[in-house]
Amino acid sequence: MKRRQFMGWLGAGGLAGLMPGMALGRPKPDLEPAPGLETLELSDAEWRERLTPEQYEILRDHGTEPAFSSPLDKEWGDGEYRCAGCDLVLFTSDMKYDSKTGWPSFFEHVEGHLLTQVDYFLFFPRTEYHCARCKGHQGHVFDDGPDPTGLRWCNNGLALRFVAA
């Protein structure tokens, strides 16, 4: 066995050894929909009529907008951040902070308005979250946020609509 091949196998083995830690280390919030929250179910054609093509890509196809592309990342006024698909309030301006990641980020969310699921898109599990009413993909939650929760709800700006107070 050549040294290069040996080093490759050693590196692959090391990465494989990290996988269980990454899987266990992700945040796993146990979220339930708010009592009485009615779901919104539309056909694919109705969603395409309601949303811009960019919003459809994110909310319905689990896409991600480029970092630093959303004006909502720099929005610091008082108000509410609502789902662009169904207008459900997901966050308030008091929950927002600057994560310096290029996406609007929040350390807390409106209770009962988000649901989570595991996302394996990048081959290791991440916690993806959705609007509890329309199931529109919003973003991912990470455990590198500020106190008091330690969470970073990293949201696509195109999946939100800001309503000033």
Side-chain angles (χ1 to χ4, degrees):
M1 178 182 294
K2 294 186 179 180
R3 182 174 187 269
R4 185 176 302 225
Q5 186 179 21
F6 173 75
M7 294 303 287
W9 283 108
L10 187 64
L15 288 175
L18 290 175
M19 292 303 281
M22 291 190 307
L24 297 173
R26 68 179 175 79
K28 300 174 210 67
D30 186 22
L31 304 180
E32 297 288 331
L37 183 68
E38 293 188 29
T39 59
L40 174 65
E41 295 184 26
L42 301 175
S43 69
D44 187 61
E46 289 170 316
W47 280 120
R48 288 185 186 279
E49 187 176 313
R50 178 183 279 233
L51 304 170
T52 67
E54 296 81 10
Q55 288 174 318
Y56 182 91
E57 168 67 23
I58 291 167
L59 288 163
R60 308 318 302 170
D61 283 341
H62 305 262
T64 301
E65 68 194 3
F68 302 101
S69 66
S70 173
L72 292 185
D73 186 37
K74 300 298 182 203
E75 174 60 62
W76 296 106
D78 289 337
E80 299 174 334
Y81 293 84
R82 299 176 178 210
C83 174
C86 70
D87 209 37
L88 183 66
V89 178
L90 304 179
F91 307 99
T92 66
S93 54
D94 294 337
M95 301 170 178
K96 188 171 188 234
Y97 77 102
D98 186 5
S99 66
K100 301 187 183 343
T101 60
W103 289 281
S105 297
F106 306 86
F107 62 86
E108 186 60 89
H109 63 91
V110 175
E111 192 72 29
H113 290 193
L114 293 177
L115 300 175
T116 60
Q117 70 182 42
V118 179
D119 166 20
Y120 291 99
F121 180 72
L122 296 176
F123 302 107
F124 63 91
R126 298 183 301 169
T127 303
E128 180 177 281
Y129 63 93
H130 303 261
C131 171
R133 179 186 287 156
C134 72
K135 310 295 186 261
H137 167 73
Q138 295 292 320
H140 292 85
V141 61
F142 303 95
D143 61 2
D144 60 359
D147 291 334
T149 65
L151 297 177
R152 172 172 51 102
W153 298 86
C154 188
N155 219 98
N156 286 289
L158 284 169
L160 295 172
R161 185 171 72 84
F162 179 72
V163 177

